Amino acid sequence: MAVTVITPFEVEEWMNTYEGTAKFNIAETCAASISIEDLQNLSEAKTAGIIQLSTKLVYGAIRGSENLRTNLSRLYSAKTSSPLPSDNILITPGAIAANFALLYALIRTGDHIICHYPTYQQLYSVPANLGAEVSLWRAQEDKKWQLDIEELKTLIQPNTKMIIINNPQNPTGAIIPKSTLEQIVEIARKHDLIVFSDEVYRPLFHSIGPLDPAFPPSILSMAYPKAIATGSLSKAYAMAGLRIGWIASRSRDIIEACASARDYTTISVSALSDQVASFALSPDTIHALLGRNIQLAKTNLALLEEFIDAHSWACQWTKPVAGTTAFVKFAREGRAVDDVEFCKLLHERKGVMVCPGSRCFGDNKDFKGYIRIGFANETRTVKEGLDELRAFMRDSFAEVPLATL
């Protein structure tokens, strides 16, 4: 009997290997985590109960509570002429489970998938593991990680089923601007394709505002029935420990297919997590929570930019526009360094954790010399981690081997 070979999930394996021993984690991609007490203090509803202590610890609402799904519906319905029904949202244990459920539900052997690249490996490895053919739609390094619509047109095949995008993008912190999203939807509509947007870093927009013409709306705001968005409370909302994510779509058929797939992995999310999530996304709380995280990202990004500017002899980047990550290229003598050895030596000598671009995002062949840095952790951690990185650049950078061609 044939056994399915699961592709190693490189970034998660890297995090699992080094996270526990790092003194300074600037690989972290979540905004600095908050406590329930912090959440209460941020909220205007300071005397409201976040968790109802009388709640019986049953499974709870199978698809997520009406309160939680209504709060999410409100977010997706803002500034649109057609509100998103709460029944079109399915709650999952984090965005990683949301992504897996929808891919498992919708992808079949023989399908062709087009996936934004670089991105979170799950988005292209799971379709490949399911038997789909995957074409990588490469963001252009020399054009601030933007996508070429003309290239997308050449990638479409008769069996193409889905276009997958990540907006804001991990690891670069780039956005797909509104005009490009409109063109993607136009092409998808012409070919009757699903557009799946992983929006887990939305709405942490620290360097672009809603009045900017390029500001990207959610894919669900593009008036396309076959659009799907996933999200979670982990990255932009600083509550990874709740393990709350979701799938949302204008299509009830898509949601029902995802719910059927989800039945095999999840009965319900924690009822207690659901209550905290509902409180966090309520009108009394969400604005202060996001304000806190956006300001944190701005403050820490300025620290990272200061480091990049001081080491321009070795570093180059496209400054992130949104999210919590930056993709920085390190080079010496005009050649990219071995990013894997860079990260290992940095951890060994200074206790600083970052992620190697070629291993975690480039299938060990692309993005040599690139390092993903997470800058939305506690400001003290980011500052101290960058100080140690400065010392490493002074004392040990010359020892890092150059990347092989």
Side-chain angles (χ1 to χ4, degrees):
M1 181 179 69
V3 177
T4 301
V5 177
I6 302 298
T7 306
F9 201 158
E10 296 288 1
V11 70
E12 296 301 338
E13 291 191 359
W14 184 272
M15 298 291 280
N16 291 343
T17 300
Y18 293 102
E19 196 165 14
T21 55
K23 296 177 183 176
F24 309 99
N25 184 352
I26 51 173
E28 176 59 63
T29 57
C30 300
S33 298
I34 62 170
S35 67
I36 291 179
E37 183 179 38
D38 295 333
L39 189 64
Q40 186 92 68
N41 291 334
L42 282 168
S43 179
E44 294 178 13
K46 297 190 185 302
T47 60
I50 297 180
I51 294 176
Q52 302 304 313
L53 299 180
S54 61
T55 300
K56 300 293 186 182
L57 298 180
V58 298
Y59 284 121
I62 300 304
R63 296 192 177 196
S65 71
E66 181 62 30
N67 194 15
L68 176 54
R69 290 183 293 112
T70 296
N71 284 341
L72 285 166
S73 171
R74 185 184 302 112
L75 298 180
Y76 284 117
S77 299
K79 299 181 181 180
T80 63
S81 57
S82 178
L84 181 71
S86 61
D87 285 343
N88 285 45
I89 299 171
L90 183 64
I91 305 302
T92 62
I96 193 169
N99 293 346
F100 188 88
L102 81 85
L103 293 170
Y104 185 76
L106 302 176
I107 302 303
R108 299 289 179 268
T109 299
D111 288 340
H112 175 246
I113 308 302
I114 298 169
C115 186
H116 189 185
Y117 180 79
T119 191
Y120 194 50
Q121 183 188 334
Q122 181 192 35
L123 299 181
Y124 52 88
S125 284
V126 170
N129 288 335
L130 291 171
E133 177 189 356
V134 178
S135 294
L136 300 177
W137 185 19
R138 296 171 183 267
Q140 301 171 91
E141 298 172 60
D142 59 346
K143 295 183 179 178
K144 298 183 178 181
W145 299 108
Q146 292 305 295
L147 291 163
D148 183 346
I149 286 293
E150 294 307 313
E151 182 184 356
L152 173 62
K153 294 175 182 177
T154 68
L155 293 175
I156 293 173
Q157 302 177 11
N159 61 332
T160 301
K161 187 171 190 178
M162 180 184 290
I163 300 169
I164 301 174
I165 56 177
N166 180 204
N167 198 24
Q169 185 189 27
N170 173 19
T172 68
I175 59 163
I176 304 174
K178 181 180 180 180
S179 59
T180 304
L181 288 174
E182 290 172 338
Q183 291 174 293
I184 292 170
V185 168
E186 180 182 349
I187 291 169
R189 197 186 303 273
K190 178 180 178 181
H191 296 276
D192 193 31
L193 307 178
I194 296 168
V195 180
F196 160 34
S197 180
D198 179 334
E199 297 178 352
V200 73
Y201 289 92
R202 182 183 180 85
L204 213 163
F205 297 105
H206 47 72
S207 301
I208 188 172
L211 298 181
D212 190 309
F215 187 84
S218 169
I219 198 68
L220 298 187
S221 300
M222 307 300 291
Y224 183 52
K226 298 185 76 170
I228 314 169
T230 57
S232 86
L233 292 186
S234 298
K235 310 299 185 183
Y237 294 97
M239 291 180 287
L242 290 183
R243 307 311 305 135
I244 292 289
W246 56 86
I247 305 168
S249 177
R250 295 281 173 185
S251 167
R252 280 300 297 277
D253 288 342
I254 286 175
I255 290 296
E256 292 306 314
C258 292
S260 293
R262 176 185 175 276
D263 285 341
Y264 282 92
T265 62
T266 304
I267 295 174
S268 67
V269 299
S270 160
L272 302 182
S273 291
D274 189 302
Q275 289 182 28
V276 179
S278 298
F279 183 88
L281 296 176
S282 69
D284 288 333
T285 310
I286 187 172
H287 303 295
L289 175 59
L290 284 175
R292 175 258 191 194
N293 297 340
I294 289 170
Q295 186 55 53
L296 180 71
K298 287 181 176 180
T299 298
N300 294 355
L301 182 58
L303 296 175
L304 179 56
E305 185 172 25
E306 182 181 314
F307 171 87
I308 298 293
D309 289 346
H311 296 82
S312 58
W313 53 272
C315 302
Q316 66 182 57
W317 71 338
T318 296
K319 185 178 177 181
V321 176
T324 64
T325 63
F327 214 32
V328 182
K329 188 174 185 178
F330 286 78
R332 194 176 68 248
E333 302 167 10
R335 284 180 55 190
V337 301
D338 185 322
D339 48 284
V340 175
E341 292 304 314
F342 178 104
C343 293
K344 288 180 177 179
L345 194 61
L346 177 61
H347 180 269
E348 176 188 324
R349 300 265 176 100
K350 301 297 182 182
V352 176
M353 180 182 175
V354 290
C355 289
S358 66
R359 174 171 294 185
C360 297
F361 299 96
D363 195 26
N364 292 305
K365 59 180 184 292
D366 296 325
F367 313 119
K368 292 185 177 182
Y370 275 94
I371 306 296
R372 188 189 71 177
I373 298 175
F375 57 83
N377 208 335
E378 299 286 355
T379 298
R380 178 177 176 179
T381 299
V382 173
K383 184 179 185 304
E384 291 178 348
L386 290 174
D387 286 344
E388 292 298 322
L389 182 53
R390 282 187 182 88
F392 177 85
M393 296 297 290
R394 182 186 65 242
D395 301 334
S396 302
F397 184 62
E399 299 177 44
V400 179
L402 298 177
T404 56
L405 299 177

